[in-house]
Amino acid sequence: LPDITFKLCGQDFIMAPEDYAHMYRTDKEKQEIPFLKFAELEIGNNISILGDPFLQAFYTYYDNEVDGKKVGIAHAQHE
């Protein structure tokens, strides 16, 4: 599977296949089948919910102060 890139405010956020898919091995055919962690939602045009796969791959910080509503995003460091 390829990397997936989300472009948010001109910044690229790249998710590797292990970030957005589980690989399952079949018993009969001994092959791996990807199961995507994304789900399709039909809630309107140009609307996306990045959801758990994105929030697990990236650390997000939400600043809701009166003078500037900001969101910070960085690669998560899992141990």
Side-chain angles (χ1 to χ4, degrees):
L1 295 172
D3 288 349
I4 294 178
T5 302
F6 293 98
K7 186 174 283 287
L8 305 172
C9 297
Q11 190 77 280
D12 289 343
F13 296 93
I14 301 168
M15 294 181 69
E18 57 270 16
D19 294 329
Y20 68 85
H22 289 294
M23 298 302 288
Y24 290 99
R25 184 174 296 277
T26 62
D27 289 335
K28 282 185 178 180
E29 300 171 15
K30 303 290 188 216
Q31 69 183 77
E32 288 188 330
I33 299 173
F35 178 77
L36 300 180
K37 298 177 187 178
F38 294 114
E40 180 180 0
L41 297 174
E42 296 182 21
I43 56 175
N45 294 332
N46 297 319
I47 296 174
S48 296
I49 298 174
L50 297 175
D52 288 342
F54 188 86
L55 293 175
Q56 289 172 351
F58 296 95
Y59 174 79
T60 53
Y61 174 80
Y62 303 91
D63 183 358
N64 197 22
E65 293 295 322
V66 176
D67 59 342
K69 296 180 181 183
K70 302 173 189 171
V71 176
I73 303 172
H75 282 279
Q77 299 283 328
H78 297 287
E79 294 181 13

